[in-house]
Amino acid sequence: MNNKKGFIIVYTGNGKGKTSAAIGSAVRAAGHNFKVFIMQFIKGNWIYGEEKIFKSISGIEIKRKGLGFVGIFGDEIPKEKHKKIAEEGFREAKDAIFSGNYDLVVLDEINVAIDLGLINLEDVLKLIEEKPENLHIILTGRKAPVEIVKKADIVSEIVDIKHPYEKGIEAVKGIDF
Ligand code: ATP
Ligand code: MG
């Protein structure tokens, strides 16, 4: 249990809504003039609504460091390339965390990046341990490692009850991206 003032928050599970929850939290925090930094791992070159809206306002900075799906849906990019860009994203997120310029940092899909071996779990645990006292950090993505869950203050697992994907309906604009 992390007993500092800033929380470690984890949104995990197979159901839809993890990134949406993080985006909602970012908006809520920014409403109180919190400075927010969001780093999105894995995600490739789709244009997400959150990116469009956050680039048009102040208070929430959003960056993306990914090449898209890793090892599925026809991905032929060498794993090393995925790893390199994920590590770049991690370094940038770490700089943001220790810069003192932010109140909330979101590491979107970082659990997936760890699970795929793109980011080192030990490095993330160290970051959580050493983060500035008042900073809140949100980590999203399926398969949150148990070590992170143990250190977190808030952990929500979103359970999949149904999803249109099962009927062959693919990502819907405004809902999924
Ligand atoms: P969102 O970004 O919509 O909040 P998420 O972050 O919970 O979703 P991810 O695991 O990051 O979900 O997956 C991203 C994409 O996969 C989204 O387009 C989402 O709709 C889709 N997805 C999420 N959950 C499921 C599911 N249970 N079955 C099929 N597709 C899913
Ligand atoms: Mg997500």
Side-chain angles (χ1 to χ4, degrees):
M1 171 77 183
N2 171 301
N3 55 15
K4 296 178 180 170
K5 288 181 196 150
F7 288 151
I8 301 297
I9 303 166
V10 176
Y11 297 128
T12 193
N14 290 333
K16 172 177 163 59
K18 301 170 290 291
T19 297
S20 306
I23 298 301
S25 305
V27 170
R28 176 176 286 171
H32 292 292
N33 294 320
F34 281 29
K35 296 283 176 248
V36 182
F37 181 88
I38 304 174
M39 176 59 74
Q40 301 194 294
F41 295 93
I42 316 276
K43 290 177 169 166
N45 49 16
W46 289 24
I47 305 293
Y48 289 85
E50 57 265 35
E51 192 171 334
K52 286 176 138 178
I53 194 76
F54 293 160
K55 291 219 156 128
S56 74
I57 60 168
S58 64
I60 305 179
E61 257 177 80
I62 184 162
K63 297 215 166 155
R64 211 174 342 134
K65 285 282 179 186
L67 300 171
F69 294 112
V70 182
I72 48 168
F73 300 120
D75 168 47
E76 288 178 2
I77 299 169
K79 184 109 178 236
E80 274 316 300
K81 280 199 168 177
H82 284 292
K83 191 161 191 273
K84 191 165 171 284
I85 196 157
E87 284 172 347
E88 248 174 65
F90 186 69
R91 272 197 299 276
E92 215 174 304
K94 200 165 141 184
D95 287 347
I97 285 170
F98 291 108
S99 69
N101 294 338
Y102 301 97
D103 305 292
L104 168 66
V105 171
V106 176
L107 306 173
D108 188 35
E109 313 302 344
I110 195 163
N111 298 333
V112 180
I114 297 167
D115 184 61
L116 291 167
L118 306 182
I119 292 177
N120 190 329
L121 172 62
E122 295 306 319
D123 294 342
V124 180
L125 293 172
K126 190 163 182 282
L127 189 71
I128 289 176
E129 208 53 63
E130 296 175 357
K131 74 164 187 67
E133 188 173 345
N134 294 323
L135 178 80
H136 301 285
I137 301 183
I138 298 179
L139 303 96
T140 87
R142 295 164 191 230
K143 301 189 190 173
V146 63
E147 295 87 342
I148 291 182
V149 167
K150 276 190 190 150
K151 283 192 187 294
D153 303 283
I154 300 174
V155 180
S156 293
E157 179 176 12
I158 301 186
V159 176
D160 175 39
I161 307 273
K162 38 164 116 161
H163 193 288
Y165 186 77
E166 292 142 32
K167 293 185 196 152
I169 298 168
E170 296 196 349
V172 174
K173 184 176 179 178
I175 300 295
D176 293 308
F177 64 93

